[in-house]
Amino acid sequence: MSGICGLFQLNGQAPEPGQIEAMTVPLQTRGPDGTHTRSSGPVALGHCLLATTPEALHETLPFTDPASGCCITADVRLDNRDQLLPALGLAAETRVIGDGELILRAWLYWGEACLEHFLGDFAFAIWDPRSQRLFAARDQMGMRQLIHCHLPGQLFAFATQPDAILTLQSVPYRINEARIADYLEDLEAADYTSTFYEGLYRLPPAHCLTVDTNGLNIRRYWRLQPVAELKLDSDEAYTEAFLKVFTEAVRCRLRSPDPVGSMLSGGMESGSVVAVASRLLAAEGR
């Protein structure tokens, strides 16, 4: 997973020279394939790339849309690109469009409702200079991390991991003893937002946030909804229906520029994933 970071000077001033570069240093172990930064007015964004999809090799993040000036940094793998490209009028494009740009195009087209259209793992942040507002979101299952810190009237910062935020001198460095106790006693049974540092918080799965000079707003954009019970005629029909869904879930995660590996736990789940993946890869001559 790639590393992302950013800061928003809520007093309207430009970030100090070197601030965003310093934030990327702790993230570079996540991003052996390149580190880039971009600044726009009071905002600076950073990205440390781990290229886990073929499209990522052709995309440089942070990415700015030249027409709107909106800029995105993202740690992302979208699994429904085949549906998103035609929906956004991009199916005829001959150039490679990365998942980060695809999220930005979706946001420009649907606004915050774009989150209803994404399948996959993601954490991203978009700066919109037109409204002077930062928008960020995390995927439904929380597979990609996003930590944030809000100092009202001064600073908003975010990153994949907290030590990137702690490089900023204005962010207090205080251990959160209550979080340590929660981890040791209940293994995060009740708290999905605090971190091991006071003032630094995790954006929960299936949540998004908006921040500007008026403040920070966090909302939940998705909930697991019950669906109608599937009734089929035989055990074989249930097996076939499950295998269809399971195979597609595995197939989506085989999009890689490099050979695919798997960590086997010894349980039935990981072994089943490998069994299905091996057949899919063999059919492609991989």
Side-chain angles (χ1 to χ4, degrees), residues 80-99:
N80 62 330
R81 289 175 53 88
D82 292 345
Q83 290 78 42
L84 288 170
L85 287 167
L88 296 170
L90 300 172
E93 286 281 349
T94 56
R95 66 184 180 88
V96 177
I97 298 177
D99 288 355

Side-chain angles (χ1 to χ4, degrees), residues 148-200:
H148 61 91
C149 175
H150 183 219
L151 304 178
Q154 303 177 54
L155 173 74
F156 178 84
F158 68 89
T160 305
Q161 55 196 54
D163 49 352
I165 299 175
L166 292 171
T167 63
L168 301 171
Q169 293 185 356
S170 57
V171 176
Y173 192 117
R174 295 191 296 265
I175 297 297
N176 185 352
E177 295 181 357
R179 172 73 179 92
I180 295 174
D182 175 60
Y183 176 79
L184 293 175
E185 181 183 15
D186 293 321
L187 296 178
E188 306 178 83
D191 188 344
Y192 295 99
T193 59
S194 66
T195 70
F196 293 111
Y197 303 93
E198 292 185 4
L200 273 63

